[in-house]
């Protein structure tokens, strides 16, 4: 990453950031923490494997009468399953840049920014998974796989923070424009608007602190989405989420208590995280965290409804 700062006036700052490529979110590719989208791809591949193996073995036996079709098929299927989902964003065609100007006006900090980046939700493009290429003998030469692609977008955003009374208030709003300006292009995401409004405050009781935020997203031009193959076909046009935390420290900061969580209004799913941290001595700390997930199976948190977990950490410095 390259970053350039230019100070303008007493409080102003202009920032330019360039990142030579794009790194997508890291998600579990196996096990109980796979996201629903990854599970869908895995299910498609599992249903494709038997058909592909049979066609490949038949074609290989016809083209190589003296060879071992079963061995060749086993080797091909092992390679296929190891490399069935691919992406390559570590290249200059995935360059990102951002320009941000911030300023202070009285009690308010504000800023505007523009960026060229990518929507982080991937689109899975099936390459040679279906169609006439699978038919013998062409099946020996094709390379079936899912290619994960990321929609390029240009973003314009506004941000502000202000202290009023005992509240620290923050607001962010952004427009993300893609090339699908009428919603008709299935292989890229639609433009969208996103915003956030929140505050935090220290309450006049003990050392209580409360933090509450509301976030929303609105997908534009959904009237042009008519095909189930569209990247946004199953996405909610509107999404609203409430996030927050309340925390306190007791006994001269030796005992910390907190409760944080997130709730999706449309899907009515949520995550709750209570945490206790006990600083026994300056160099010894024990913390306990419980994560509770609830909701419908097809919701963000509900898909992990059976993955509630308790974590206990013991930390000693010496």
């Amino acid at each position: 990453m390259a970053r350039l700062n230019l100070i303008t006036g007493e409080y102003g700052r202009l920032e330019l950031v360039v990142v030579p490529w794009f790194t997508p979110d890291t998600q579990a590719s196996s096990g109980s923490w796979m996201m629903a989208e990854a599970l869908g791809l895995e299910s498609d591949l599992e249903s494709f494997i038997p058909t592909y193996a049979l066609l490949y073995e038949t074609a290989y036996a016809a083209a190589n009468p003296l060879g071992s079709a079963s061995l060749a098929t086993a080797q091909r299927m092992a390679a296929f399953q190891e490399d069935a989902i691919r992406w390559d964003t570590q290249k200059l065609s995935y360059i990102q840049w951002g320009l941000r100007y911030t300023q202070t006006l009285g009690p308010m900090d504000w800023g505007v920014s523009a960026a060229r980046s990518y929507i982080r939700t991937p689109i899975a493009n099936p390459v040679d998974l279906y169609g006439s290429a699978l038919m013998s003998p062409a099946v020996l030469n094709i390379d079936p796989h899912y290619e994960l692609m990321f929609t390029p977008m240009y973003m314009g955003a506004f941000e502000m923070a202000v202290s009023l009374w005992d509240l620290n208030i923050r607001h962010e709003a952004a427009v993300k424009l893609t090339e699908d300006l009428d919603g008709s292009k299935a292989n890229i995401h639609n433009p969208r608007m996103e915003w956030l409004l929140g505050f935090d405050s220290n309450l006049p009781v003990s050392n209580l602190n409360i933090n509450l935020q509301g976030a929303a997203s609105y997908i534009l031009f959904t009237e042009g989405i008519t095909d189930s193959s569209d990247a946004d076909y199953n996405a909610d046009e509107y999404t609203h989420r409430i996030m927050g935390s309340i925390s306190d420290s007791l006994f001269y900061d030796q005992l910390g208590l907190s409760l944080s969580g997130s709730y999706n209004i449309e899907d009515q799913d949520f995550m709750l995280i209570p945490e206790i941290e006990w600083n026994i001595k300056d160099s010894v700390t024990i913390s306990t965290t419980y994560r509770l997930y609830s909701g419908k199976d097809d919701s963000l948190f509900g898909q992990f409804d059976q993955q509630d977990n308790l974590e206990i950490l013991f930390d000693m410095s010496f």
Side-chain angles (χ1 to χ4, degrees):
M1 181 182 75
R3 181 183 180 206
L4 176 66
N5 283 346
L6 177 64
I7 304 301
T8 60
E10 187 175 359
Y11 300 109
R13 173 180 293 185
L14 182 66
E15 299 172 80
L16 172 64
V17 174
V18 178
V19 182
W21 48 70
F22 173 72
T23 302
D25 291 339
T26 300
Q27 297 184 6
S29 58
S30 62
S32 56
W33 291 101
M34 289 181 66
M35 300 287 284
E37 295 82 2
L39 282 171
L41 288 184
E42 185 181 61
S43 177
D44 289 347
L45 290 171
E46 287 179 352
S47 63
F48 173 78
I49 285 173
T51 301
Y52 178 49
L54 178 60
L55 292 173
Y56 188 91
E57 185 170 5
T58 302
Y60 188 91
N64 304 274
L66 301 180
S68 174
S70 60
L71 177 60
T73 301
Q75 293 173 339
R76 182 70 189 94
M77 296 311 298
F80 165 70
Q81 293 182 62
E82 184 178 338
D83 199 28
I85 301 176
R86 308 175 194 172
W87 64 91
D88 181 13
T89 60
Q90 304 294 300
K91 51 188 178 182
L92 286 177
S93 59
Y94 273 89
I95 191 171
Q96 300 175 91
W97 58 260
L99 190 65
R100 179 176 180 238
Y101 178 73
T102 54
Q103 181 61 270
T104 296
L105 181 62
M108 182 178 71
D109 297 327
W110 63 272
V112 292
S113 56
R116 193 267 191 185
S117 185
Y118 294 84
I119 292 179
R120 306 195 72 84
T121 305
I123 297 171
N125 179 35
V127 179
D128 291 338
L129 285 183
Y130 311 101
S132 59
L134 285 176
M135 304 312 294
S136 177
V139 69
L140 295 176
N141 299 317
I142 66 171
D143 182 23
H145 64 279
Y146 272 110
E147 192 77 30
L148 298 188
M149 306 171 65
F150 296 86
T151 302
M153 62 92 176
Y154 288 91
M155 182 188 73
F158 171 79
E159 61 185 283
M160 60 84 68
V162 61
S163 294
L164 293 177
W165 306 291
D166 294 326
L167 301 178
N168 299 312
I169 301 172
R170 294 175 301 281
H171 173 62
E172 300 175 9
V175 177
K176 297 179 178 179
L177 295 178
T178 71
E179 294 181 355
D180 192 6
L181 294 179
D182 59 3
S184 63
K185 297 179 181 178
N187 62 339
I188 62 175
H189 285 289
N190 283 32
R192 58 203 62 208
M193 299 175 61
E194 297 177 352
W195 58 94
L196 178 146
L197 179 62
F199 73 90
D200 70 85
S201 179
N202 293 319
L203 303 181
V205 178
S206 184
N207 293 305
L208 277 173
N209 175 272
I210 185 171
N211 187 316
L212 187 64
Q213 301 181 45
S217 176
Y218 173 48
I219 300 176
L220 303 175
F221 312 122
T222 54
E223 62 276 3
I225 301 175
T226 58
D227 194 313
S228 60
S229 64
D230 194 284
D232 294 307
Y233 184 78
N234 292 317
D236 293 328
E237 183 178 6
Y238 293 93
T239 57
H240 297 83
R241 182 183 303 176
I242 299 173
M243 302 160 286
S245 69
I246 185 168
S247 60
D248 196 2
S249 60
L250 307 170
F251 308 120
Y252 302 99
D253 296 332
Q254 284 187 303
L255 181 65
L257 305 173
S258 68
L259 176 66
S260 58
S262 181
Y263 176 73
N264 291 313
I265 295 177
E266 282 76 16
D267 291 333
Q268 298 181 353
D269 62 316
F270 65 87
M271 172 183 64
L272 280 178
I273 307 177
E275 184 173 4
I276 301 174
E277 184 176 290
W278 181 22
N279 185 14
I280 301 174
K281 294 182 179 180
D282 291 341
S283 58
V284 180
T285 302
I286 295 178
S287 62
T288 302
T289 304
Y290 187 77
R291 296 177 181 86
L292 171 68
Y293 304 91
S294 183
K296 299 177 182 178
D297 291 343
D298 59 352
S299 61
L300 176 63
F301 299 125
Q303 63 184 309
F304 302 123
D305 202 357
Q306 304 302 314
Q307 306 302 323
D308 298 350
N309 61 89
L310 176 67
E311 180 182 84
I312 300 175
L313 296 177
F314 180 80
D315 191 343
M316 175 182 290
S317 302
F318 56 90

